[in-house]
Amino acid sequence: MQLDVVVLGAVACVFAVVSGANDGGALLATGLKLPSVRPAAGILALTAALVLVPLASQRVALTFVTRLGGFGGPGGRQAMTIAVLSALVVVAVLSGSGRPTSLTLAVVGGLAGAGIGWGLPVSGGAVALVLAVALAAPFVGALVAWVVARLLGLATRRGLRRWHLAGFALQCVAYAANDGQKMLSVFMIALGVSRAPLSVTSAAAALFAAGTLYGLPRAGRTLSREIIVSRPLHGVAAELASGAAVVGCAAAGMPVSMTQAIAGALIGAGVSRGGGRVRWPAALRIVVAWALTLPAGGLLAGVVALAVRLAERGAGL
């Protein structure tokens, strides 16, 4: 087996675990104030969705692999490895400084930068379109959550629990159809396949679940407690709104960060009951982190890719 396959395969496994720690906790924590979905049951449901939903559609994974750039050809594994590692570094630095951010934005930036640095064809139009959709998703989530929160205000507590079950199920499907497919794209490039089979979706889901167990407390605390003074209604409205927004983007093959959509939806739900519920300084820190993530990932990956490529040429590899 070639070394680049082994290295990218190992990176893909680490990336899946980190995705679970970064994204899984946020997904599960949004509605934890209602006991309808226990954490263990939630992790199992999310894992099942990650296994099964991509078997029906992998449009977002193909966007990462083919639409953003030519990562399926020569040099694609090296560029993908650099892109993913750069994305992980950027997210780790920002999260460590108290600015939790989008791993999806970091990967998009990393792929663009690594592709350019390695001399691969990169579609500037596709990258710009993905960025535009990613920036719009939190605002769409906020608007939909504002409406949903108003409507849910009429629901009884029992009715709210039922909507919570529906919202969480929608979130699981949305994540598996969209944001979660960034994990599959790395495995696809590593294995040289155009579609991830059941064995790959199962492995990625299991690694994601392990990361979720580790990251649930911290990610959940940031989104569901720091952004707004949360009530059960806000969490349920955010689940329904973010799930709807992300599913819509998945249908178009556009990768969108679920955590971004959730954060926007939480703000929209909070504003529906008065802007005083929103902790605006915390929300601003997250928005600043989003703005820094893609260019930072692209710059780091581009510099590293160019340096490695020049070093290989100099060594005659």
Side-chain angles (χ1 to χ4, degrees), residues 185-282:
S185 68
V186 186
F187 282 104
M188 289 163 63
I189 294 297
L191 298 173
V193 297
S194 59
R195 185 173 181 84
L198 177 61
S199 58
V200 172
T201 63
S202 299
L207 293 165
F208 180 92
T212 300
L213 286 171
Y214 173 79
L216 176 58
R218 181 177 180 183
R221 181 170 61 248
T222 299
L223 281 177
S224 65
R225 298 181 189 176
E226 290 187 11
I227 291 181
I228 67 171
V229 181
S230 179
R231 291 173 51 204
L233 180 145
H234 299 131
V236 176
E239 287 174 333
L240 291 165
S242 61
V246 173
V247 163
C249 292
M254 290 290 104
V256 168
S257 169
M258 195 79 200
T259 54
Q260 281 185 279
I262 291 172
L266 282 170
I267 291 173
V271 170
S272 73
R273 297 292 170 174
R277 288 187 174 274
V278 180
R279 295 189 173 104
W280 294 107

Side-chain angles (χ1 to χ4, degrees), residues 72-310:
R77 290 193 181 104
Q78 293 89 334
M80 178 65 84
T81 300
I82 292 170
V84 173
L85 291 176
S86 299
L88 292 176
V89 168
V90 169
V91 171
V93 170
L94 289 173
S95 297
S97 63
R99 299 177 187 273
T101 189
S102 164
L103 190 52
T104 301
L105 281 179
V107 171
V108 172
L111 286 173
I116 293 171
W118 202 266
L120 300 178
V122 174
S123 173
V127 173
L129 179 60
V130 168
L131 178 59
V133 173
L135 292 175
F139 294 98
V140 173
L143 179 61
V144 175
W146 186 89
V147 175
V148 172
R150 288 280 185 174
L151 296 175
L152 288 178
L154 304 175
T156 63
R157 186 166 183 83
R158 175 178 290 184
L160 198 60
R161 288 181 178 179
R162 291 172 180 168
W163 281 112
H164 174 35
L165 289 172
F168 181 72
L170 179 60
Q171 269 195 331
C172 289
V173 171
Y175 186 83
N178 195 318
D179 201 5
Q181 294 194 12
K182 62 180 179 283
M183 299 181 290
L184 297 184
S185 68
V186 186
F187 282 104
M188 289 163 63
I189 294 297
L191 298 173
V193 297
S194 59
R195 185 173 181 84
L198 177 61
S199 58
V200 172
T201 63
S202 299
L207 293 165
F208 180 92
T212 300
L213 286 171
Y214 173 79
L216 176 58
R218 181 177 180 183
R221 181 170 61 248
T222 299
L223 281 177
S224 65
R225 298 181 189 176
E226 290 187 11
I227 291 181
I228 67 171
V229 181
S230 179
R231 291 173 51 204
L233 180 145
H234 299 131
V236 176
E239 287 174 333
L240 291 165
S242 61
V246 173
V247 163
C249 292
M254 290 290 104
V256 168
S257 169
M258 195 79 200
T259 54
Q260 281 185 279
I262 291 172
L266 282 170
I267 291 173
V271 170
S272 73
R273 297 292 170 174
R277 288 187 174 274
V278 180
R279 295 189 173 104
W280 294 107
L284 180 61
R285 284 199 304 272
I286 293 175
V287 171
V288 170
W290 291 346
L292 294 174
T293 298
L294 190 145
L299 180 61
L300 178 59
V303 170
V304 173
L306 181 60
V308 173
R309 185 184 177 202
L310 293 177

